[in-house]
Amino acid sequence: MEFFTLSLLNGLSYGLVLFMLSAGLTLVFSLLGVLNLAHASFYMLGAYVAYSLTLVLGFWPALLLAPLLVGLGGVAFERYVLRRVHAHGAQRHKAEMLVTFGLATVLGELVQVVWGRGPVDYRIPEALAGPLFTLWGTPFPAYRAFMVLVALGMWLALWLLFTRTRTGLVVQAALTHPEAVQALGHNVPRICMWVFGGGAALAGLAGVVGGNAFVTEPGMAATVGSVVFVVVVVGGMGSLAGALGASLLVGVLQTFAVGLDAISRFAPLLPYLLLVLVLVLRPQGLWGRRAD
Amino acid sequence: MRTEAAGAAFVLVLLAAPWVFSSSLGLNLLTQMAIAAIVCLSYNILLGQGGMLSFGHAIYSGLGAFAAIHVLNAVVLPVSLVPLAGGLAGAGVALLLGWLTAQKSATTFAMVTLGLGELVAALAWLVPQVFGGEAGVSGNRVAGAAPWGITFGPQLQVYYLVAAYTLVCTALMYAFTLTPLGRMLNAVRDNPERVEFVGYDARRIRFMAVVIAGFFAGIGGGLAALNFETVTAEVLGSQRSGAYLLFTFLGGSGHFFGPVVGAVLMVLANVLLSGITKAWLLYVGLVFIAMVVWVPGGVVSLAGRLRWRSVPRYAAWVLAFAGLAAMVEMVYQLQLRAALGPELRFMGLALDATSGWSWAGATAVLVVGAILGMRK
């Protein structure tokens, strides 16, 4: 019972970090059709920028500023690089993936140039360092609860934005009927730019919150990157509910596997086995609506 | 016609190069380039001909390498045929995995190959009996009978074995582009709906392309196993897959011989550029982004695009890049080589990473280059 409850709580909080990442990825993908291979690099950048800001300003300003800065970086990349690639016509999606793959390479190296090759000492804030409550003698860290709150808050904000506000409607319409929205006087390229920046900011936020709970080091994008792509395929490409479900599934599955001696060796394989299983049995993803 | 001319040049260079670059380093680099050429050409069957962006190509070359080293150690085949075992292993694995990956095109294909690549790389660490764990698997290529006194001990003999495989594989892959299947693969890349409508099965065509690419990648892996006489799990990793993608595209995925140029660049960057600067991958990445945006045809398309009146503009961008590189090198000097002091040499200039003058100079070069480059 003790093992079960704690693993479940840890798994859910890890899953929610995965969700923060896959939400941004799946939003950008379903709205712009761009598969951003540098998404996990924005996560890494968020963690590093937050680390540097924490040294100067403390954690709470960093929580706000770091996602903003990463988001602006995403905006600049969309405006000056990605947008030029849209002109490639039929091969457009391939070119977009290639250019974001290049960005992932560059960011991975840039982080090492600026912050060094080893991990940096990015810590959780003092106020959240202690345990929130103790279950069967094992403390449950307050910071985990904070991560859950941030993720849930993000999910709620996205849901409200896209279902309850005018901006959300314009954004969705701009991406399905660009000409009509353009004709109504909205600037569609600018909307695309802000959506891409928004996705980057969401990844940055996940980095601020996840970087200190896990480790902030140059390999962190690679560690989490392919798992996030698994989540997006398993959940169903472009489905936000699917991203949530698959993130929690992968998070819980992996945490339980790490805890059980018999299968802990195979824990790193589990997300990929899940990927293969889903591809064989339900190629459109667990929550996906259509198979294309 | 241009492809035939390039092919003739390729054969000549492949046969004559070891007499020009006869040093041990030169011969080593040439061997690696010829091997990389096979793998990059096989990758381009997917990327260039089929429009499939694979992030798991190292699965096929890497497992081919492991198969080859085990066959070599078992001494069941003449050494010269060992790479074929690698090829069969690559094709076999592709038969298994290709069925999963070829279901979908473009975006999903990319994500699924990424996942499968990680799966295979992670598996390799779990089965040290086969993959040798940290140390890898070693072999000795001087094994079995030595027909006509060829032992494959000297590097020159290995080079000519590799060159022979490279010639045959390149010819076969070129022939493949001319077959109906090769042409249908182009059609699947350009318009899968139409292919389906005409009555072909796009998935099946993609699947066959993956198997063929897997076969040639496996041969490349087998040759690498013979050349290095040791194979570690690193050859399966996602970084290796990424490198094949990066350099195949840099060379040019639209022209048949583009990947060969990419392979040459790959070995030069891995061996020579990495010796000059620690930030080499950063520069390769920046050049890659610039190529995707402005020169999607890769290096081989540059010659045709070059206009004399644009030369000053290109020069200005090279200048801007040099300014940026100077800054990167100075930051590196401060971060990673702090123990060595702040002075460094950059393209013949003495820079001091702690001096404002060096920074001002680098910034000035960057800004001037960018302003000149942006002028029409």
Side-chain angles (χ1 to χ4, degrees):
Chain A
M1 196 59 207
E2 175 186 348
F3 168 74
F4 182 81
T5 315
L6 283 172
S7 295
L8 190 68
L9 286 174
N10 285 335
L12 287 179
S13 54
Y14 174 57
L16 283 170
V17 171
L18 287 183
F19 166 68
M20 285 197 260
L21 273 164
S22 45
L25 184 68
T26 210
L27 269 183
V28 169
F29 178 74
S30 61
L31 295 180
L32 305 187
V34 174
L35 180 62
N36 180 12
L37 290 156
H39 194 72
S41 309
F42 285 135
Y43 160 78
M44 174 167 73
L45 209 57
Y48 272 103
V49 170
Y51 159 71
S52 287
L53 287 176
T54 305
L55 294 182
V56 188
L57 300 170
F59 178 77
W60 302 105
L63 180 66
L64 268 175
L65 277 178
L68 214 63
L69 288 174
V70 174
L72 285 179
V75 164
F77 180 73
E78 205 284 337
R79 171 73 182 77
Y80 293 104
V81 182
L82 196 59
R83 191 176 291 181
R84 291 173 203 272
V85 169
H86 289 338
H88 286 197
Q91 295 290 300
R92 178 189 149 169
H93 291 306
K94 207 169 78 184
E96 286 162 353
M97 278 192 269
L98 283 169
V99 85
T100 55
F101 170 72
L103 180 66
T105 309
V106 167
L107 287 182
E109 289 297 306
L110 204 62
V111 158
Q112 297 181 45
V113 170
V114 179
W115 284 281
R117 294 212 193 273
V120 294
D121 184 26
Y122 177 33
R123 292 189 194 162
I124 56 178
E126 293 282 334
L128 294 172
L132 186 67
F133 53 85
T134 306
L135 266 182
W136 296 287
T138 317
F140 183 78
Y143 195 74
R144 296 239 167 209
F146 171 70
M147 283 162 68
V148 171
L149 276 180
V150 173
L152 290 179
M154 191 176 110
W155 182 63
L156 192 69
L158 283 178
W159 183 75
L160 287 175
L161 176 70
F162 282 105
T163 57
R164 293 285 183 275
T165 69
R166 210 183 141 77
T167 318
L169 286 178
V170 172
V171 168
Q172 289 190 53
L175 304 151
T176 46
H177 302 92
E179 288 85 6
V181 173
Q182 186 93 40
L184 288 173
H186 297 284
N187 187 341
V188 171
R190 188 183 292 163
I191 293 175
C192 292
M193 185 174 88
W194 288 112
V195 168
F196 190 84
L202 291 183
L205 179 64
V208 181
V209 177
N212 48 6
F214 307 109
V215 199
T216 298
E217 45 105 15
M220 67 194 282
T223 319
V224 79
S226 40
V227 177
V228 174
F229 286 108
V230 169
V231 164
V232 172
V233 175
V234 166
M237 308 260 300
S239 152
L240 200 60
L244 180 62
S247 308
L248 294 179
L249 185 64
V250 168
V252 170
L253 212 63
Q254 219 171 359
T255 312
F256 270 94
V258 170
L260 293 170
D261 278 340
I263 52 169
S264 64
R265 257 159 42 94
F266 301 100
L269 290 186
L270 281 179
Y272 309 114
L273 290 178
L274 186 68
L275 170 77
V276 173
L277 209 68
V278 167
L279 281 176
V280 173
L281 300 176
R282 201 179 148 81
Q284 72 270 41
L286 294 179
W287 284 267
R289 261 159 275 156
R290 63 203 161 87
D292 53 2
Chain B
M1 190 57 220
R2 279 171 58 198
T3 307
E4 274 86 55
F10 180 56
V11 174
L12 266 177
V13 169
L14 207 55
L15 294 179
W19 305 104
V20 181
F21 303 98
S22 54
S23 69
S24 141
L25 173 70
L27 212 51
N28 255 310
L29 289 184
L30 285 175
T31 315
Q32 290 185 44
M33 284 172 188
I35 295 171
I38 300 182
V39 184
C40 287
L41 280 168
S42 79
Y43 183 73
N44 205 38
I45 292 178
L46 302 177
L47 179 72
Q49 278 184 267
M52 290 174 269
L53 192 55
S54 168
F55 286 94
H57 205 57
I59 297 177
Y60 308 118
S61 60
L63 289 178
F66 274 108
I69 200 104
H70 283 299
V71 167
L72 179 70
N73 284 338
V75 200
V76 285
L77 272 183
V79 174
S80 54
L81 296 182
V82 162
L84 280 181
L88 290 178
V93 175
L95 273 172
L96 220 73
L97 299 184
W99 182 75
L100 279 175
T101 56
Q103 297 282 320
K104 308 263 188 95
S105 67
T107 314
T108 320
F109 181 86
M111 296 167 94
V112 172
T113 51
L114 194 80
L116 287 178
E118 296 283 340
L119 176 68
V120 172
L123 258 178
W125 293 104
L126 287 182
V127 198
Q129 297 86 345
V130 180
F131 297 100
E134 199 80 46
V137 181
S138 306
N140 180 4
R141 67 188 178 217
V142 186
W148 306 297
I150 298 173
T151 59
F152 295 115
Q155 186 67 31
L156 191 66
Q157 291 180 4
V158 177
Y159 174 78
Y160 273 110
L161 178 72
V162 170
Y165 269 99
T166 308
L167 281 181
V168 174
C169 290
T170 307
L172 286 176
M173 282 189 266
Y174 182 65
F176 171 71
T177 64
L178 305 176
T179 61
L181 178 61
R183 301 284 166 151
M184 283 314 294
L185 188 57
N186 291 348
V188 166
R189 171 194 65 197
D190 296 333
N191 199 334
E193 290 85 9
R194 204 153 162 187
V195 168
E196 296 271 354
F197 190 73
V198 173
Y200 288 89
D201 185 349
R203 291 178 188 186
R204 217 172 124 168
I205 293 170
R206 271 190 230 116
F207 172 64
M208 289 196 271
V210 170
V211 174
I212 291 169
F215 175 72
F216 287 111
I219 288 187
L223 287 168
L226 278 190
N227 183 41
F228 295 115
E229 296 184 291
T230 177
V231 183
T232 58
E234 202 191 321
V235 298
L236 290 164
S238 55
Q239 283 200 322
R240 194 61 75 95
S241 292
Y244 291 136
L245 159 62
L246 215 130
F247 285 100
T248 302
F249 183 87
L250 272 185
S253 59
H255 189 275
F256 180 79
F257 280 103
V260 175
V261 176
V264 170
L265 292 176
M266 177 156 95
V267 174
L268 287 180
N270 269 326
V271 180
L272 298 184
L273 189 60
S274 69
I276 298 171
T277 167
K278 292 265 181 265
W280 67 279
L281 196 52
L282 178 65
Y283 301 133
V284 171
L286 286 173
V287 170
F288 177 78
I289 292 180
M291 294 285 274
V292 178
V293 176
W294 287 294
V295 199
V299 171
V300 285
S301 75
L302 268 180
R305 293 167 59 104
L306 205 63
R307 301 280 176 276
W308 283 113
R309 60 188 175 81
S310 303
V311 167
R313 214 150 54 98
Y314 295 144
W317 281 113
V318 170
L319 193 69
F321 192 80
L324 182 72
M327 290 175 163
V328 168
E329 293 300 320
M330 284 194 284
V331 176
Y332 242 89
Q333 191 74 22
L334 292 176
Q335 277 290 347
L336 297 179
R337 284 174 295 197
L340 298 175
E343 290 90 10
L344 68 152
R345 292 201 69 77
F346 178 76
M347 296 164 88
L349 287 168
L351 296 179
D352 181 345
T354 51
S355 124
W357 287 111
S358 295
W359 279 95
T363 314
V365 170
L366 172 63
V367 170
V368 168
I371 289 175
L372 289 178
M374 275 188 281
R375 275 181 29 183
K376 284 284 174 309

